[in-house]
Amino acid sequence: EKEYNEAAQACVAPGAFDCEAFCLNAILKVAARLKGAFAIAVLSKHTPSAVYAARCESPLAVGYNEDGFYLLSDIDALSEFTSLGTPLDNKSAAVISLSDGIKFVRFDGTESAQRFSVLEKSDKKTHGDTEKQFKGDKMLAEIYETPSALEKCALNFPFYDSEFFRRIPLNSFDEIRFIGCGTAYHAALHGAFLTRKLCKKLTVSAHLASEYLYDNYREDTSVLLVLVSQSGETADTLGVLRRAQKNRTYCLAVVNCESSALAREADFCIFTKAGREVAVASTKAYNTQLLILTLLAYNIAGARGQTTVSKLNNAYETAKKIGSYAAAALENECAAKAIAQEIKEKKDVFFIGRGLDSFCALEGALKLKEVSYIHAEGFAAGELKHGSIALIEDGTPVIALLTQPETAQKTQNGIEEVKARGAAIHRLTVANSGKKSKADRCNLVLPHIENADFLPVIATIPLNFVAYYTALYKGCDADKPRNLAKSVTVE
Ligand code: M6R
């Protein structure tokens, strides 16, 4: 304020003092002194017709239309208000002035020529339609959007001999690491497991982005990182990307939000095409991530000569039908409601499975605790007896996933162990080939898919219903669970 007054008084000629330039300069000075990630919007009493914005690491997007200007932390949400927008460049500021329009400046004071682009609208329409049908209930609407999301995702996935796959040297890497946070990490576990299964000689692993950043993994051109994220703005995942790029390590993003920082900055991108996901709990985005990672695993194997063209073609054929399999999985809604009624008063719920099922078990548990606040844990079924079985009491619900023929018998052993301690078992199984899937009271059934690697892609649909209805019966707002945000843009 003192500097402002001095500068204003120093300008003797009337109208010579440029208040907006002064305020912008003040913001740049403050930004230079701030530490860490931030996204701010500033108003000044001296320039009532201007808004200033600045960002470093945290996302901030600017948009406009004939009604006015918009500043949002989520560019994806901007399309609800305007068709023109741009994410503010990292370490940049903007002055949005009613008289002079928008000006972008880097923190070093140089002007930046950011361009506005037309924001994709189509998702808004699809979402709007289902949302209306579900009376604004976003999580439920998004579960119901899973079949169409998967169909779009499959359609968009590049064919194995496409230009996209010719550009990524999938056969040249010594190591592939799949990385994400929360739900995206569960997808990463699936991607890593399947890639390991199909590519015997490749070193493949999955990591939590927040932990990977503080581990000492070698990074160079022989390593490929597959970064999975719905929002593309998760700070930990972006941290991994930015460090990897300093180490000349290739990053392939599997991302839903197409204008996100991850999508813009990664070397290669596959969009999940799940449509806008608004509910905090990720549902349809996870299913599309699994579809992409399954097809990617087959493509990696194909590029390395570890699978046949006929198996690759079959994988693409299965992907084409995945929307109808997902639609059949929606038929579990009634059984899921019955399970939700049973578990809504329980203290703990356990999800068990082995192999690919174990990752959906983790996801089922995360979803339930996230929206219903019931303590839930997912386990590789063989692990329970190493300690946590002590928590099983008479009536403790255990949801067992038995979709994988290779491991179902082993999971059955785990079921017997907890049953003997009084657990109430609910099974998620697969219909026999040629039979219609029919969920009974308290047991969930998926349609038969010839290639079982694709079953996890739809396995969480019934589990998402269980989480949603448990929250509903407990009176919790599933769309906005306490303490959580849709994009976690802080470390
Ligand atoms: O946007 P991202 O996929 O990177 O987000 C990662 C996690 O924060 C996210 O999946 C979170 O776990 C969800 N709330 C789970 O439903």
Side-chain angles (χ1 to χ4, degrees):
E1 194 59 32
K2 190 168 158 270
E3 281 182 34
Y4 181 92
N5 289 334
E6 284 168 6
Q9 276 159 19
C11 282
V12 277
F17 180 55
D18 185 342
C19 332
E20 278 181 20
F22 181 91
C23 292
L24 174 64
N25 198 31
I27 283 155
L28 293 177
K29 277 189 187 165
V30 171
R33 292 173 64 182
L34 291 177
K35 288 204 172 71
F38 58 86
I40 50 173
V42 182
L43 295 169
S44 164
K45 67 178 179 189
H46 301 296
T47 57
S49 60
V51 176
Y52 307 86
R55 76 163 273 233
C56 173
E57 310 303 345
S58 298
L60 196 59
V62 189
Y64 72 91
N65 62 16
E66 56 289 354
D67 303 329
F69 300 98
Y70 297 86
L71 265 178
L72 265 87
S73 59
D74 180 358
I75 183 143
D76 208 22
L78 201 56
S79 64
E80 259 183 48
F81 308 98
T82 169
S83 57
L84 285 171
T86 181
L88 190 57
D89 280 349
N90 199 23
K91 299 191 180 164
S92 289
V95 190
I96 301 166
S97 152
L98 283 183
S99 49
D100 300 329
I102 305 176
K103 182 175 148 194
F104 297 103
V105 188
R106 294 189 196 90
F107 283 176
D108 64 9
T110 56
E111 264 195 46
S112 94
Q114 278 202 238
R115 286 177 200 285
F116 285 89
S117 51
V118 178
L119 305 168
E120 222 188 315
K121 282 259 184 240
S122 53
D123 295 337
K124 185 186 156 193
K125 189 177 175 308
T126 338
H127 191 90
D129 289 350
T130 19
E131 217 187 290
K132 234 181 265 159
Q133 195 184 335
F134 295 101
K135 300 187 186 76
D137 212 330
K138 295 187 171 61
M139 181 174 173
L140 187 59
E142 285 165 9
I143 299 172
Y144 266 94
E145 283 169 354
T146 311
S148 63
L150 283 169
E151 265 163 27
K152 269 198 195 167
C153 175
L155 266 179
N156 179 62
F157 191 87
F159 203 58
Y160 56 78
D161 62 357
S162 63
E163 173 59 24
F164 177 81
F165 279 120
R166 277 199 292 275
R167 277 195 304 125
I168 313 183
L170 286 177
N171 57 352
S172 74
F173 298 108
D174 295 341
E175 199 174 335
I176 301 187
R177 300 179 194 139
F178 292 79
I179 299 173
C181 299
T183 288
Y185 169 64
H186 299 155
L189 287 166
H190 172 96
F193 185 98
L194 202 54
T195 309
R196 243 184 337 258
K197 175 176 144 184
L198 297 173
C199 306
K200 299 269 168 347
K201 290 185 191 130
L202 185 65
T203 307
V204 186
S205 51
H207 305 264
L208 287 161
S210 53
E211 285 301 304
Y212 180 83
L213 265 178
Y214 298 98
D215 217 319
N216 293 305
Y217 289 99
R218 167 184 61 88
E219 285 187 341
D220 55 37
T221 49
S222 69
V223 179
L224 173 69
L225 303 188
V226 180
L227 302 174
V228 188
S229 175
Q230 189 285 128
S231 64
E233 297 289 355
T234 299
D236 292 318
T237 312
L238 285 175
V240 171
L241 170 92
R242 289 172 183 152
R243 188 183 67 182
Q245 292 189 325
K246 282 189 196 139
N247 294 332
R248 296 172 58 239
T249 297
Y250 282 119
C251 292
L252 162 61
V254 174
V255 60
N256 195 37
C257 184
E258 299 186 15
S259 26
S260 61
L262 187 62
R264 293 195 310 276
E265 295 176 32
D267 304 290
F268 309 103
C269 239
I270 307 183
F271 295 119
T272 47
K273 294 280 174 192
R276 206 164 151 230
E277 203 181 57
V278 176
V280 167
S282 191
T283 54
K284 58 178 180 168
Y286 178 71
N287 305 94
T288 56
Q289 286 165 354
L290 290 199
L291 180 60
I292 300 267
L293 294 170
T294 305
L295 289 171
L296 183 64
Y298 274 87
N299 272 280
I300 298 170
R304 304 176 78 90
Q306 306 245 301
T307 193
T308 59
V309 172
S310 126
K311 283 190 182 153
L312 251 178
N313 283 331
N314 280 344
Y316 276 88
E317 283 308 308
T318 308
K320 270 195 214 154
K321 291 184 269 180
I322 202 79
S324 61
Y325 295 132
L330 288 175
E331 288 169 22
N332 284 283
E333 190 172 9
C334 281
K337 282 182 182 172
I339 297 177
Q341 282 294 358
E342 286 207 6
I343 66 179
K344 67 175 199 255
E345 307 293 352
K346 301 288 181 183
K347 179 162 83 353
D348 310 295
V349 177
F350 295 95
F351 291 73
I352 59 170
R354 291 189 80 145
L356 287 177
D357 278 337
S358 67
F359 314 130
C360 287
L362 294 176
E363 178 56 13
L366 175 64
K367 216 61 20 174
L368 182 66
K369 63 185 150 195
E370 193 173 11
V371 299
S372 75
Y373 316 136
I374 293 176
H375 167 245
E377 276 189 72
F379 279 100
E383 266 306 293
L384 265 181
K385 60 179 173 294
H386 295 291
S388 305
I389 201 163
L391 297 174
I392 304 287
E393 295 170 355
D394 216 20
T396 304
V398 174
I399 300 182
L401 284 77
L402 298 139
T403 78
Q404 296 299 306
E406 283 168 21
T407 51
Q409 187 49 52
K410 295 284 173 197
T411 305
Q412 187 57 42
N413 298 344
I415 294 176
E416 298 309 328
E417 283 161 13
V418 289
K419 223 166 139 188
R421 272 89 182 169
I425 311 291
H426 304 284
R427 289 181 174 77
L428 171 65
T429 55
V430 182
N432 289 333
S433 172
K435 294 249 170 68
K436 201 170 158 5
S437 47
K438 209 168 169 332
D440 60 22
R441 204 185 137 73
C442 293
N443 284 306
L444 308 159
V445 184
L446 298 177
H448 179 83
I449 302 181
E450 200 53 48
N451 182 345
D453 293 343
F454 283 84
L455 281 162
V457 175
I458 56 167
T460 54
I461 295 173
L463 304 183
N464 290 340
F465 276 139
V466 171
Y468 169 80
Y469 281 108
T470 309
L472 187 78
Y473 299 153
K474 289 190 70 184
C476 307
D477 180 353
D479 288 345
K480 292 198 194 90
R482 69 186 178 209
N483 307 339
L484 291 170
K486 183 66 186 159
S487 322
V488 185
T489 55
V490 288
E491 250 193 79

